[in-house]
Amino acid sequence: MIQLKKADGLLALIRNGQPLTLGQQLRLTVQLSIPAVIAQLSSIVMQYIDAAMVGSLGAEASASIGLVSTTTWLFSGVCAAASTAFSVQVAHRIGAGDMHSARALLRQALTATSVFSLLLAIVGMAVSPALPVWLGGDASIHSDATLYFFIFSLFLPALQINFLSGGMLRCSGNMHVPSLLGVVMCALDVLFNFFLIFPSRELVCAGFSFTMPGAGLGVAGAALGTAAAEMVVAGVLLWYLWTRSNELKQSGERGGFRPKAVTLRNALRIGLPMGIEHMVICGAQIVTTVIVAPLGVFAIAANSFAITAESLCYMPGYGIAEAATTLVGQSIGAGRWRLTRSFGRITVFMGMGVMGVMGVLMYLFAPQIIGLMTPVEEIRELGVMALRIEAFAEPMFAASIVAYGVFVGAADTLVPCLMNLFSIWAVRLSLAALLAPTLGLKGVWIAMCIELCFRGMIFLVRLMREKWLKKV
């Protein structure tokens, strides 16, 4: 709570037009980044939990989740884009000191995103039976993959509320509550998975034997456990936002929940490029899955585990990017252009430093990281190889991640989205298709490493040219 008050005090300096020294800017960046990084890491820990628990069931169970993992990321990313489209508007209002408008925007956002996520859930459930076939997965994993994606789609509205509530709190400068509840969600995921994935079994503790009840649902249990954890945390986040947030609580506020045309237009301007970008990028990820699928079940599982393991390295970048969006958004709302520029550069170079260190650690401890998720030696060998290739790209990957967060805070999303699309489709997929037939999974990850370095370079160029400031 002390750190939260310190951050609030420094954010108030932005809104009130008071000067901030370089030291104060650095402290504020760190104070907002640390809880955001913890929140991001907690979500990755949850993925590790699912991967490790399901991995103990065998390669086919792991491959069934790995097959649809890019599609689940597609759907969740579109939900996140919808939330960001409104939270950036709220950050600008808070930066300008207009709390009444910010609270009205929150009500409108809740209606709009709830309807959107419900429609998306219907689409997901409808396509779930055909999805494993479209992705080229082996027939032996079709049933589990279908069931996992169906359950994931069913609970998308809860995930949307989670994203919206957490995003609104973060854009107001409150990173601590979403971070804490992210850790709680991990703990709940472990608890629910423990009882839902495995069947009833005999356990021995301190010489005593007892029967531990379990549903024995396997892959479906992993999906249900994660969904249940998300539902609990979404409810708590929404309650806190609605009743406790200093900037956004609704007590005493009057006004409807129907979205206004101007709000929806601004949301489309910010969120539509992000949503389209995410869909196209995920389309590229799905194409990558199709490239990997013919390499066999071991390659599919190793690719999925390596993606999950690498996320431990790059999620700090996404945490710093969230802080960048808040800082840039509020600075722009307050009309502080020089401060906006300064926060953009501070956050990007901080992200590059943190992820550079994480890349070194990932390279050194790749065997142990992959070993936590699967006992299958063939999968371990492929996963370690992939992680050690990717480690070299982490600093430049950080540049693209955090710079994107800066641009989002400035409501400049179209050009960065086009940059992402060109980099992934023209560079990564072309190289992957070229290298996979001869180098297998290694070729796919070499292509990814080269593309991430290229993407980081072009994002740094755009950051330094400062054309994104002219979009405001």
Side-chain angles (χ1 to χ4, degrees):
M1 293 304 295
I2 294 175
Q3 292 298 319
L4 180 59
K5 290 179 180 179
K6 288 181 179 179
D8 284 343
L10 292 174
L11 285 170
L13 296 180
I14 297 176
R15 301 166 195 164
N16 297 333
Q18 296 174 263
L20 276 83
T21 66
L22 178 60
Q24 288 175 316
Q25 293 175 44
L26 288 169
R27 284 199 301 275
L28 180 56
T29 301
V30 171
Q31 287 168 4
L32 294 184
S33 295
I34 289 177
V37 169
I38 292 173
Q40 291 289 338
L41 289 176
S42 66
S43 70
I44 295 307
V45 170
M46 191 162 67
Q47 293 181 38
Y48 267 81
I49 292 165
D50 282 354
M53 289 184 165
V54 174
S56 66
L57 301 177
E60 287 190 351
S62 298
S64 66
I65 295 179
L67 184 67
V68 298
S69 61
T70 50
T71 315
T72 59
W73 188 60
L74 164 63
F75 276 59
S76 61
V78 172
C79 288
S83 298
T84 303
F86 292 96
S87 63
V88 168
Q89 295 182 66
V90 169
H92 291 174
R93 297 296 193 284
I94 292 174
D98 188 358
M99 303 304 171
H100 176 72
S101 294
R103 292 165 183 165
L105 274 168
L106 169 59
R107 295 193 298 273
Q108 296 171 50
L110 182 62
T111 301
T113 56
S114 295
V115 172
F116 174 76
S117 62
L118 181 60
L119 295 174
L120 197 62
I122 293 171
V123 172
M125 289 185 287
V127 303
S128 59
L131 184 62
V133 179
W134 294 344
L135 295 176
D138 189 88
S140 62
I141 62 176
H142 282 186
S143 178
D144 278 343
T146 292
L147 187 56
Y148 186 89
F149 190 74
F150 182 90
I151 295 170
F152 165 82
S153 300
L154 180 64
F155 289 93
L156 271 175
L159 183 63
Q160 180 74 79
I161 291 176
N162 199 322
F163 284 152
L164 181 67
S165 301
M168 289 291 180
L169 286 171
R170 283 188 287 270
C171 81
S172 73
N174 186 342
M175 302 287 188
H176 291 76
V177 170
S179 173
L180 175 62
L181 288 173
V183 175
V184 171
M185 186 160 64
C186 285
L188 290 175
D189 190 41
V190 173
L191 180 65
F192 294 149
N193 280 357
F194 187 76
F195 290 103
L196 292 173
I197 293 177
F198 305 106
S200 298
R201 63 269 192 206
E202 290 293 323
L203 296 180
V204 178
C205 181
F208 294 96
S209 177
F210 59 96
T211 300
M212 177 62 66
L217 298 177
V219 170
L224 287 170
T226 301
E230 288 171 348
M231 284 186 65
V232 172
V233 170
V236 176
L237 275 172
L238 185 60
W239 168 81
Y240 184 92
L241 177 67
W242 213 258
T243 63
R244 294 290 184 268
S245 170
N246 291 331
E247 294 80 11
L248 296 171
K249 62 185 176 183
Q250 297 294 312
S251 57
E253 289 291 324
R254 293 183 179 181
F257 286 76
R258 183 176 180 178
K260 294 182 179 179
V262 64
T263 302
L264 293 177
R265 282 198 302 269
N266 288 334
L268 285 173
R269 178 175 61 86
I270 297 168
L272 186 60
M274 296 178 68
I276 293 174
E277 173 211 25
H278 199 82
M279 286 189 286
V280 177
I281 287 177
C282 285
Q285 295 283 8
I286 291 170
V287 171
T288 302
T289 302
V290 172
I291 293 173
V292 172
L295 302 177
V297 170
F298 290 146
I300 294 174
N303 187 64
S304 175
F305 285 145
I307 290 172
T308 300
E310 189 215 357
S311 59
L312 179 65
C313 184
Y314 66 65
M315 276 303 145
Y318 280 106
I320 296 172
E322 288 184 356
T325 299
T326 298
L327 292 168
V328 168
Q330 292 203 17
S331 297
I332 285 175
R336 308 285 299 275
W337 311 115
R338 183 176 297 179
L339 190 61
T340 300
R341 182 185 298 110
S342 180
F343 276 132
R345 295 184 179 185
I346 286 172
T347 52
V348 168
F349 290 116
M350 180 183 292
M352 293 178 70
V354 171
M355 281 182 56
V357 173
M358 294 295 290
V360 172
L361 295 176
M362 184 171 73
Y363 185 94
L364 294 175
F365 296 102
Q368 290 79 11
I369 294 171
I370 293 294
L372 288 173
M373 292 186 288
T374 177
V376 182
E377 185 61 30
E378 292 88 342
I379 298 177
R380 286 185 179 184
E381 290 179 1
L382 289 171
V384 169
M385 173 271 298
L387 287 186
R388 286 184 164 166
I389 291 171
E390 196 70 0
F392 291 96
E394 296 307 309
M396 295 304 288
F397 191 16
S400 67
I401 291 171
V402 185
Y404 188 83
V406 171
F407 303 150
V408 169
D412 173 33
T413 56
L414 180 57
V415 173
C417 289
L418 294 175
M419 291 163 61
N420 271 330
L421 300 185
F422 175 81
S423 182
I424 290 180
W425 280 87
V427 179
R428 181 187 298 189
L429 288 183
S430 298
L431 285 174
L434 181 66
L435 297 175
T438 55
L439 297 179
L441 189 63
K442 182 177 182 180
V444 173
W445 282 78
I446 289 174
M448 190 183 302
C449 179
I450 294 172
E451 182 271 322
L452 290 176
C453 291
F454 171 78
R455 197 194 314 178
M457 180 185 68
I458 61 176
F459 269 81
L460 282 175
V461 169
R462 180 168 178 78
L463 178 76
M464 295 305 178
R465 288 184 175 178
E466 298 182 355
K467 290 185 177 180
W468 51 278
L469 279 172
K470 299 178 183 179
K471 297 290 183 180
V472 180

Short mmCIF file of all heavy atoms in Angstrom, two decimals, residues 86-132:
data_model
loop_
_atom_site.label_atom_id
_atom_site.label_comp_id
_atom_site.label_asym_id
_atom_site.label_seq_id
_atom_site.Cartn_x
_atom_site.Cartn_y
_atom_site.Cartn_z
N PHE A 86 -10.88 0.73 -24.86
CA PHE A 86 -11.59 1.60 -23.92
C PHE A 86 -10.67 2.11 -22.81
O PHE A 86 -10.79 3.26 -22.37
CB PHE A 86 -12.78 0.86 -23.31
CG PHE A 86 -13.87 0.56 -24.29
CD1 PHE A 86 -13.94 -0.67 -24.93
CD2 PHE A 86 -14.82 1.52 -24.61
CE1 PHE A 86 -14.95 -0.95 -25.85
CE2 PHE A 86 -15.83 1.26 -25.53
CZ PHE A 86 -15.89 0.02 -26.16
N SER A 87 -9.73 1.27 -22.33
CA SER A 87 -8.88 1.69 -21.22
C SER A 87 -7.94 2.82 -21.61
O SER A 87 -7.61 3.68 -20.77
CB SER A 87 -8.09 0.50 -20.67
OG SER A 87 -7.21 -0.04 -21.62
N VAL A 88 -7.50 2.88 -22.88
CA VAL A 88 -6.66 3.99 -23.32
C VAL A 88 -7.45 5.30 -23.26
O VAL A 88 -6.93 6.34 -22.83
CB VAL A 88 -6.13 3.74 -24.74
CG1 VAL A 88 -5.49 5.00 -25.32
CG2 VAL A 88 -5.12 2.61 -24.75
N GLN A 89 -8.72 5.25 -23.66
CA GLN A 89 -9.56 6.45 -23.57
C GLN A 89 -9.70 6.91 -22.12
O GLN A 89 -9.66 8.11 -21.81
CB GLN A 89 -10.94 6.17 -24.15
CG GLN A 89 -10.95 5.86 -25.64
CD GLN A 89 -12.37 5.64 -26.15
OE1 GLN A 89 -13.18 6.57 -26.16
NE2 GLN A 89 -12.67 4.43 -26.58
N VAL A 90 -9.85 5.93 -21.21
CA VAL A 90 -9.98 6.26 -19.79
C VAL A 90 -8.68 6.86 -19.26
O VAL A 90 -8.69 7.81 -18.48
CB VAL A 90 -10.38 5.00 -18.99
CG1 VAL A 90 -10.27 5.25 -17.49
CG2 VAL A 90 -11.81 4.60 -19.34
N ALA A 91 -7.53 6.33 -19.69
CA ALA A 91 -6.23 6.87 -19.26
C ALA A 91 -6.10 8.34 -19.67
O ALA A 91 -5.61 9.18 -18.89
CB ALA A 91 -5.09 6.06 -19.86
N HIS A 92 -6.54 8.68 -20.88
CA HIS A 92 -6.48 10.07 -21.32
C HIS A 92 -7.38 10.96 -20.47
O HIS A 92 -7.00 12.08 -20.11
CB HIS A 92 -6.89 10.17 -22.79
CG HIS A 92 -5.89 9.56 -23.73
ND1 HIS A 92 -6.12 9.44 -25.09
CD2 HIS A 92 -4.65 9.04 -23.52
CE1 HIS A 92 -5.06 8.87 -25.66
NE2 HIS A 92 -4.17 8.61 -24.73
N ARG A 93 -8.57 10.47 -20.12
CA ARG A 93 -9.49 11.26 -19.29
C ARG A 93 -8.90 11.46 -17.88
O ARG A 93 -9.00 12.55 -17.31
CB ARG A 93 -10.85 10.57 -19.17
CG ARG A 93 -11.61 10.41 -20.47
CD ARG A 93 -12.01 11.73 -21.10
NE ARG A 93 -12.98 11.55 -22.16
CZ ARG A 93 -12.71 11.10 -23.39
NH1 ARG A 93 -11.45 10.78 -23.70
NH2 ARG A 93 -13.66 10.98 -24.29
N ILE A 94 -8.32 10.41 -17.33
CA ILE A 94 -7.73 10.52 -15.99
C ILE A 94 -6.56 11.49 -16.02
O ILE A 94 -6.37 12.31 -15.10
CB ILE A 94 -7.30 9.14 -15.48
CG1 ILE A 94 -8.54 8.27 -15.20
CG2 ILE A 94 -6.47 9.26 -14.20
CD1 ILE A 94 -8.22 6.84 -14.81
N GLY A 95 -5.73 11.40 -17.07
CA GLY A 95 -4.60 12.32 -17.19
C GLY A 95 -5.06 13.77 -17.25
O GLY A 95 -4.38 14.67 -16.74
N ALA A 96 -6.22 13.99 -17.85
CA ALA A 96 -6.78 15.36 -17.94
C ALA A 96 -7.53 15.75 -16.67
O ALA A 96 -8.01 16.89 -16.56
CB ALA A 96 -7.72 15.45 -19.13
N GLY A 97 -7.65 14.84 -15.71
CA GLY A 97 -8.34 15.13 -14.46
C GLY A 97 -9.85 15.06 -14.54
O GLY A 97 -10.55 15.50 -13.63
N ASP A 98 -10.39 14.49 -15.63
CA ASP A 98 -11.85 14.41 -15.84
C ASP A 98 -12.34 13.03 -15.39
O ASP A 98 -12.61 12.15 -16.21
CB ASP A 98 -12.17 14.65 -17.31
CG ASP A 98 -13.66 14.78 -17.58
OD1 ASP A 98 -14.45 14.63 -16.62
OD2 ASP A 98 -14.04 14.99 -18.75
N MET A 99 -12.51 12.86 -14.08
CA MET A 99 -12.88 11.57 -13.54
C MET A 99 -14.33 11.19 -13.86
O MET A 99 -14.64 10.01 -14.03
CB MET A 99 -12.68 11.55 -12.01
CG MET A 99 -11.26 11.88 -11.57
SD MET A 99 -10.03 10.78 -12.32
CE MET A 99 -8.51 11.58 -11.82
N HIS A 100 -15.19 12.17 -13.98
CA HIS A 100 -16.59 11.88 -14.29
C HIS A 100 -16.70 11.22 -15.67
O HIS A 100 -17.40 10.21 -15.83
CB HIS A 100 -17.42 13.17 -14.26
CG HIS A 100 -18.85 12.98 -14.65
ND1 HIS A 100 -19.77 12.34 -13.84
CD2 HIS A 100 -19.52 13.32 -15.79
CE1 HIS A 100 -20.95 12.31 -14.45
NE2 HIS A 100 -20.81 12.89 -15.63
N SER A 101 -16.00 11.76 -16.65
CA SER A 101 -16.02 11.16 -17.99
C SER A 101 -15.37 9.78 -17.99
O SER A 101 -15.82 8.88 -18.69
CB SER A 101 -15.31 12.07 -18.99
OG SER A 101 -16.00 13.28 -19.17
N ALA A 102 -14.32 9.64 -17.20
CA ALA A 102 -13.64 8.34 -17.12
C ALA A 102 -14.57 7.27 -16.58
O ALA A 102 -14.62 6.14 -17.08
CB ALA A 102 -12.39 8.45 -16.24
N ARG A 103 -15.36 7.62 -15.57
CA ARG A 103 -16.29 6.65 -14.99
C ARG A 103 -17.43 6.33 -15.94
O ARG A 103 -17.89 5.19 -16.00
CB ARG A 103 -16.82 7.20 -13.67
CG ARG A 103 -15.75 7.27 -12.59
CD ARG A 103 -16.16 8.14 -11.41
NE ARG A 103 -15.07 8.24 -10.45
CZ ARG A 103 -15.02 9.14 -9.47
NH1 ARG A 103 -16.01 10.01 -9.32
NH2 ARG A 103 -13.98 9.16 -8.64
N ALA A 104 -17.88 7.32 -16.69
CA ALA A 104 -18.92 7.07 -17.69
C ALA A 104 -18.40 6.13 -18.78
O ALA A 104 -19.11 5.22 -19.24
CB ALA A 104 -19.38 8.39 -18.30
N LEU A 105 -17.16 6.32 -19.18
CA LEU A 105 -16.54 5.45 -20.18
C LEU A 105 -16.45 4.01 -19.68
O LEU A 105 -16.63 3.06 -20.45
CB LEU A 105 -15.14 5.95 -20.54
CG LEU A 105 -15.07 7.01 -21.63
CD1 LEU A 105 -13.69 7.64 -21.68
CD2 LEU A 105 -15.41 6.41 -22.98
N LEU A 106 -16.17 3.84 -18.39
CA LEU A 106 -16.11 2.50 -17.82
C LEU A 106 -17.44 1.77 -17.98
O LEU A 106 -17.49 0.61 -18.38
CB LEU A 106 -15.71 2.57 -16.35
CG LEU A 106 -15.85 1.28 -15.54
CD1 LEU A 106 -15.02 0.15 -16.14
CD2 LEU A 106 -15.48 1.51 -14.08
N ARG A 107 -18.54 2.45 -17.68
CA ARG A 107 -19.86 1.82 -17.79
C ARG A 107 -20.14 1.42 -19.24
O ARG A 107 -20.65 0.33 -19.51
CB ARG A 107 -20.94 2.76 -17.26
CG ARG A 107 -20.84 3.06 -15.78
CD ARG A 107 -22.10 3.73 -15.25
NE ARG A 107 -22.35 5.02 -15.90
CZ ARG A 107 -21.83 6.18 -15.49
NH1 ARG A 107 -21.02 6.20 -14.45
NH2 ARG A 107 -22.14 7.31 -16.11
N GLN A 108 -19.82 2.30 -20.15
CA GLN A 108 -20.05 2.00 -21.56
C GLN A 108 -19.18 0.83 -22.02
O GLN A 108 -19.62 -0.03 -22.80
CB GLN A 108 -19.75 3.24 -22.41
CG GLN A 108 -20.67 4.42 -22.12
CD GLN A 108 -20.19 5.68 -22.81
OE1 GLN A 108 -19.91 5.69 -24.00
NE2 GLN A 108 -20.09 6.78 -22.06
N ALA A 109 -17.95 0.81 -21.53
CA ALA A 109 -17.02 -0.27 -21.91
C ALA A 109 -17.51 -1.62 -21.42
O ALA A 109 -17.38 -2.63 -22.13
CB ALA A 109 -15.63 0.02 -21.34
N LEU A 110 -18.08 -1.67 -20.23
CA LEU A 110 -18.56 -2.93 -19.69
C LEU A 110 -19.65 -3.52 -20.59
O LEU A 110 -19.65 -4.73 -20.88
CB LEU A 110 -19.09 -2.73 -18.27
CG LEU A 110 -19.57 -3.99 -17.56
CD1 LEU A 110 -18.44 -4.98 -17.38
CD2 LEU A 110 -20.19 -3.64 -16.21
N THR A 111 -20.56 -2.68 -21.06
CA THR A 111 -21.63 -3.15 -21.94
C THR A 111 -21.06 -3.63 -23.28
O THR A 111 -21.37 -4.73 -23.75
CB THR A 111 -22.65 -2.04 -22.19
OG1 THR A 111 -23.20 -1.61 -20.94
CG2 THR A 111 -23.77 -2.52 -23.10
N ALA A 112 -20.25 -2.79 -23.90
CA ALA A 112 -19.74 -3.10 -25.23
C ALA A 112 -18.89 -4.37 -25.25
O ALA A 112 -19.05 -5.23 -26.12
CB ALA A 112 -18.94 -1.92 -25.77
N THR A 113 -17.99 -4.50 -24.29
CA THR A 113 -17.10 -5.67 -24.28
C THR A 113 -17.83 -6.95 -23.88
O THR A 113 -17.47 -8.04 -24.34
CB THR A 113 -15.90 -5.44 -23.34
OG1 THR A 113 -16.36 -5.12 -22.03
CG2 THR A 113 -15.02 -4.31 -23.85
N SER A 114 -18.86 -6.83 -23.04
CA SER A 114 -19.63 -8.02 -22.66
C SER A 114 -20.37 -8.59 -23.86
O SER A 114 -20.36 -9.81 -24.09
CB SER A 114 -20.62 -7.68 -21.55
OG SER A 114 -19.96 -7.31 -20.36
N VAL A 115 -20.99 -7.73 -24.64
CA VAL A 115 -21.68 -8.18 -25.85
C VAL A 115 -20.69 -8.79 -26.83
O VAL A 115 -20.93 -9.86 -27.42
CB VAL A 115 -22.45 -7.02 -26.50
CG1 VAL A 115 -23.01 -7.42 -27.87
CG2 VAL A 115 -23.58 -6.54 -25.59
N PHE A 116 -19.55 -8.13 -27.00
CA PHE A 116 -18.54 -8.61 -27.94
C PHE A 116 -18.02 -9.99 -27.55
O PHE A 116 -17.92 -10.90 -28.38
CB PHE A 116 -17.38 -7.61 -27.97
CG PHE A 116 -16.21 -8.07 -28.79
CD1 PHE A 116 -16.25 -8.03 -30.18
CD2 PHE A 116 -15.06 -8.54 -28.18
CE1 PHE A 116 -15.17 -8.45 -30.94
CE2 PHE A 116 -13.98 -8.97 -28.92
CZ PHE A 116 -14.04 -8.93 -30.30
N SER A 117 -17.71 -10.19 -26.27
CA SER A 117 -17.14 -11.47 -25.83
C SER A 117 -18.16 -12.59 -25.91
O SER A 117 -17.81 -13.75 -26.17
CB SER A 117 -16.60 -11.36 -24.40
OG SER A 117 -17.63 -11.03 -23.48
N LEU A 118 -19.44 -12.27 -25.71
CA LEU A 118 -20.49 -13.28 -25.83
C LEU A 118 -20.59 -13.77 -27.27
O LEU A 118 -20.68 -14.99 -27.54
CB LEU A 118 -21.82 -12.72 -25.37
CG LEU A 118 -23.01 -13.68 -25.41
CD1 LEU A 118 -22.76 -14.89 -24.53
CD2 LEU A 118 -24.29 -12.96 -24.98
N LEU A 119 -20.54 -12.86 -28.23
CA LEU A 119 -20.57 -13.24 -29.64
C LEU A 119 -19.34 -14.07 -30.01
O LEU A 119 -19.43 -15.05 -30.74
CB LEU A 119 -20.65 -12.00 -30.52
CG LEU A 119 -21.93 -11.17 -30.40
CD1 LEU A 119 -21.82 -9.89 -31.22
CD2 LEU A 119 -23.15 -11.99 -30.86
N LEU A 120 -18.19 -13.67 -29.47
CA LEU A 120 -16.95 -14.40 -29.76
C LEU A 120 -17.01 -15.81 -29.18
O LEU A 120 -16.53 -16.77 -29.79
CB LEU A 120 -15.77 -13.63 -29.18
CG LEU A 120 -14.37 -13.99 -29.68
CD1 LEU A 120 -14.25 -13.73 -31.17
CD2 LEU A 120 -13.31 -13.21 -28.92
N ALA A 121 -17.61 -15.95 -28.00
CA ALA A 121 -17.74 -17.26 -27.37
C ALA A 121 -18.60 -18.19 -28.23
O ALA A 121 -18.29 -19.38 -28.39
CB ALA A 121 -18.35 -17.12 -25.98
N ILE A 122 -19.67 -17.66 -28.80
CA ILE A 122 -20.55 -18.46 -29.66
C ILE A 122 -19.78 -18.95 -30.89
O ILE A 122 -19.88 -20.11 -31.29
CB ILE A 122 -21.78 -17.63 -30.07
CG1 ILE A 122 -22.66 -17.36 -28.84
CG2 ILE A 122 -22.58 -18.36 -31.14
CD1 ILE A 122 -23.78 -16.36 -29.10
N VAL A 123 -18.98 -18.06 -31.48
CA VAL A 123 -18.17 -18.44 -32.64
C VAL A 123 -17.18 -19.54 -32.25
O VAL A 123 -17.03 -20.55 -32.97
CB VAL A 123 -17.42 -17.22 -33.20
CG1 VAL A 123 -16.41 -17.65 -34.27
CG2 VAL A 123 -18.39 -16.22 -33.79
N GLY A 124 -16.52 -19.38 -31.12
CA GLY A 124 -15.53 -20.37 -30.68
C GLY A 124 -16.13 -21.73 -30.44
O GLY A 124 -15.57 -22.76 -30.88
N MET A 125 -17.27 -21.78 -29.78
CA MET A 125 -17.91 -23.07 -29.54
C MET A 125 -18.37 -23.72 -30.83
O MET A 125 -18.32 -24.94 -30.98
CB MET A 125 -19.09 -22.88 -28.57
CG MET A 125 -18.66 -22.57 -27.14
SD MET A 125 -20.04 -22.48 -25.96
CE MET A 125 -20.79 -20.92 -26.43
N ALA A 126 -18.78 -22.89 -31.79
CA ALA A 126 -19.27 -23.44 -33.07
C ALA A 126 -18.15 -24.08 -33.88
O ALA A 126 -18.36 -25.10 -34.55
CB ALA A 126 -19.94 -22.33 -33.88
N VAL A 127 -16.95 -23.48 -33.84
CA VAL A 127 -15.85 -24.00 -34.67
C VAL A 127 -15.02 -25.06 -33.97
O VAL A 127 -14.17 -25.70 -34.60
CB VAL A 127 -14.92 -22.86 -35.14
CG1 VAL A 127 -15.69 -21.79 -35.89
CG2 VAL A 127 -14.14 -22.25 -33.99
N SER A 128 -15.23 -25.27 -32.67
CA SER A 128 -14.37 -26.17 -31.91
C SER A 128 -14.31 -27.60 -32.48
O SER A 128 -13.23 -28.21 -32.47
CB SER A 128 -14.78 -26.20 -30.43
OG SER A 128 -16.11 -26.63 -30.27
N PRO A 129 -15.40 -28.20 -32.99
CA PRO A 129 -15.28 -29.57 -33.52
C PRO A 129 -14.38 -29.67 -34.75
O PRO A 129 -13.68 -30.67 -34.94
CB PRO A 129 -16.73 -29.94 -33.87
CG PRO A 129 -17.59 -29.05 -33.03
CD PRO A 129 -16.82 -27.77 -32.97
N ALA A 130 -14.37 -28.63 -35.59
CA ALA A 130 -13.59 -28.68 -36.83
C ALA A 130 -12.18 -28.16 -36.66
O ALA A 130 -11.31 -28.43 -37.51
CB ALA A 130 -14.31 -27.88 -37.92
N LEU A 131 -11.91 -27.43 -35.59
CA LEU A 131 -10.62 -26.75 -35.44
C LEU A 131 -9.41 -27.69 -35.51
O LEU A 131 -8.45 -27.40 -36.23
CB LEU A 131 -10.61 -25.94 -34.14
CG LEU A 131 -9.36 -25.10 -33.88
CD1 LEU A 131 -9.19 -24.04 -34.97
CD2 LEU A 131 -9.46 -24.43 -32.51
N PRO A 132 -9.39 -28.81 -34.76
CA PRO A 132 -8.22 -29.69 -34.84
C PRO A 132 -7.96 -30.23 -36.24
O PRO A 132 -6.81 -30.44 -36.63
CB PRO A 132 -8.57 -30.83 -33.86
CG PRO A 132 -9.57 -30.24 -32.93
CD PRO A 132 -10.38 -29.30 -33.77
#
